[in-house]
Amino acid sequence: MFYENCGNDKPLSLIAGPCAFESKDHAVETAEAIREICNDLNINFIYKTSFDKANRSSADSFRSAGFDEAYYGMEAVRARGIEVLTDVHEPWHCEAVNADIIQIPAFLCRQTDLIQAAAQSGKPVNVKKGQFLSPWEMKNVAEKLRKFGCDKYMFTERGTTFGYNNLVVDFRSLEIMKQYTDRVVMDCTHAVQLPGGNGMTSGGQRQYVPLMARAATAVGVSAVFLEVHESPDFAPSDGPNMIYLDRKST
């Protein structure tokens, strides 16, 4: 089980997959390719994809192939013995999605009803620290989760708003959030995103992803979070900050 084998005091784990669900075949092929790499390196791994990307820059932006397609696509991944993590945007999603770990997006990390629904789902919860929050404010999120009966949760750093269309990472936040959870994650790909930087879409600087990963592992984290794609420049969502699935490329 990914959650049980992930921890600040355990070997590094990996959360990885494409930004948004594209198709069942794409999900299965990508998940199996990442698993093969992780098996070679003996890395604890969970597949990440978003069944619906609701927080898009434009109303015309790609969100996913659709709820039903994503549901059965993620089931196909799980049927191959690969656990799945996906984010939710509304309380009813927490019971409806077909995933092993529920993720609260950064923009929604203070939404009490959503956190309550995730906490009461019985599944582990990964909460991304909002771009607008200090790391010590995540103490309030931890208290909400515990109040609603959840003691299996993770916190993920993904950068802090730094002026317009830019993020900066304060690596002290990784250490600070260890006060509130024994599972702190570094999202190395969203940390190099340029939110809304391309006008109708977000930009990104994927060349800095390896730097983020090395810095985070030097500080000490339970896992790194990487959005990966076989062809990021042609991906329908978050291409500029995703890295190539090929282990030899960045």
Side-chain angles (χ1 to χ4, degrees):
M1 299 290 287
F2 175 85
Y3 182 85
E4 285 70 18
N5 292 321
C6 178
N8 297 337
D9 60 347
K10 296 180 179 180
L12 189 69
S13 295
L14 176 66
I15 301 170
C19 176
F21 178 87
E22 298 179 29
S23 72
K24 183 182 76 171
D25 289 345
H26 183 262
V28 170
E29 290 171 7
T30 305
E32 290 186 333
I34 300 171
R35 177 170 63 179
E36 181 179 352
I37 294 171
C38 290
N39 285 345
D40 288 346
L41 299 172
N42 195 29
I43 294 175
N44 182 38
F45 157 66
I46 190 168
Y47 179 72
K48 178 270 165 191
T49 193
S50 296
F51 84 95
D52 178 27
K53 295 293 291 187
N55 52 335
R56 299 290 78 197
S57 297
S58 167
D60 296 324
S61 296
F62 178 83
R63 292 175 58 158
S64 85
F67 183 89
D68 290 345
E69 289 84 352
Y71 183 93
Y72 291 111
M74 290 192 290
E75 178 58 27
V77 172
R78 298 177 73 208
R80 287 160 172 78
I82 302 172
E83 292 181 282
V84 173
L85 175 150
T86 197
D87 41 9
V88 294
H89 297 87
E90 299 182 45
W92 69 269
H93 290 170
C94 297
E95 290 295 336
V97 295
N98 196 358
D100 299 279
I101 295 181
I102 292 174
Q103 180 168 281
I104 306 294
F107 286 126
L108 300 176
C109 69
R110 292 182 62 176
Q111 295 295 104
T112 301
D113 290 345
L114 184 59
I115 290 174
Q116 180 176 3
Q120 293 176 344
S121 72
K123 298 177 181 179
V125 180
N126 180 34
V127 183
K128 286 196 167 185
K129 180 179 75 65
Q131 301 93 323
F132 46 86
L133 283 189
S134 64
W136 44 89
E137 288 176 89
M138 291 299 284
K139 178 181 180 182
N140 298 327
V141 179
E143 290 175 349
K144 283 184 184 180
L145 287 162
R146 291 195 297 270
K147 178 179 176 64
F148 297 127
C150 178
D151 60 1
K152 293 184 177 182
Y153 58 88
M154 314 161 69
F155 287 163
T156 295
E157 170 62 55
R158 54 127 322 139
T160 301
T161 300
F162 189 67
Y164 296 124
N165 308 125
N166 199 15
L167 300 169
V168 66
V169 176
D170 179 356
F171 284 93
R172 294 175 299 178
S173 70
L174 300 173
E175 196 66 24
I176 292 168
M177 288 194 293
K178 290 178 185 178
Q179 300 174 66
Y180 317 127
T181 176
D182 56 3
R183 292 168 173 83
V184 172
V185 180
M186 179 65 209
D187 183 343
C188 303
T189 44
H190 283 102
V192 302
Q193 188 181 59
L194 302 176
N198 291 338
M200 297 290 286
T201 61
S202 292
Q205 299 173 313
R206 75 169 68 99
Q207 67 269 28
Y208 297 124
V209 172
L211 181 152
M212 292 290 177
R214 288 193 294 267
T217 53
V219 172
V221 290
S222 62
V224 292
F225 181 115
L226 301 172
E227 288 197 330
V228 303
H229 197 276
E230 74 282 357
S231 186
D233 290 333
F234 297 96
S237 178
D238 273 8
N241 56 267
M242 284 201 285
I243 60 173
Y244 287 91
L245 176 58
D246 182 347
R247 74 175 80 185
K248 299 177 182 177
S249 303
T250 56

